[in-house]
Amino acid sequence: LQIRESLADAFMIFILPPSEEDLLERLRLRKRESEAVIMRRFREAQHEMEMAKSSNAYDVFIVNDDLERAIAQAVEAVENARKKRGG
């Protein structure tokens, strides 16, 4: 959101997990942090997703349920934004 404030014409993409359950599972599968830390990070991520959705700061939301598809969607979104801006 700070980027949007300082660069109003920035093209903003927000990457979402397929679901909150998937996000929590991904955090746990990393096996790097305690359950307390995982739950804190999960709550922070929930807050960030809500803020992103309600802020109108992002141009595109991409659900990362398949990495290759998510990458393709991000590339396509950037290319389309460049075309619209004449670049």
Side-chain angles (χ1 to χ4, degrees):
L1 296 178
Q2 292 172 346
I3 292 171
R4 175 61 77 201
E5 290 174 10
S6 62
L7 297 169
D9 64 339
F11 184 73
M12 305 283 286
I13 298 175
F14 194 94
I15 307 297
L16 292 163
S19 68
E20 288 188 1
E21 292 81 15
D22 286 322
L23 173 59
L24 187 54
E25 180 180 349
R26 289 175 182 182
L27 291 170
R28 286 181 173 143
L29 287 175
R30 293 177 184 169
K31 297 183 181 181
R32 294 185 290 200
E33 300 162 325
S34 69
E35 185 66 16
V37 171
I38 289 169
M39 292 310 295
R40 179 184 51 80
R41 291 189 62 204
F42 179 65
R43 285 190 302 274
E44 289 171 358
Q46 288 175 308
H47 177 71
E48 289 173 7
M49 289 185 291
E50 286 302 316
M51 292 293 296
K53 291 174 184 177
S54 66
S55 70
N56 294 318
Y58 292 89
D59 299 289
V60 175
F61 289 86
I62 295 175
V63 176
N64 184 15
D65 54 354
D66 175 271
L67 182 59
E68 294 301 319
R69 182 175 44 231
I71 291 169
Q73 289 173 338
V75 169
E76 181 180 7
V78 170
E79 288 174 349
N80 288 340
R82 282 184 165 171
K83 288 176 188 174
K84 288 180 183 176
R85 296 178 184 192

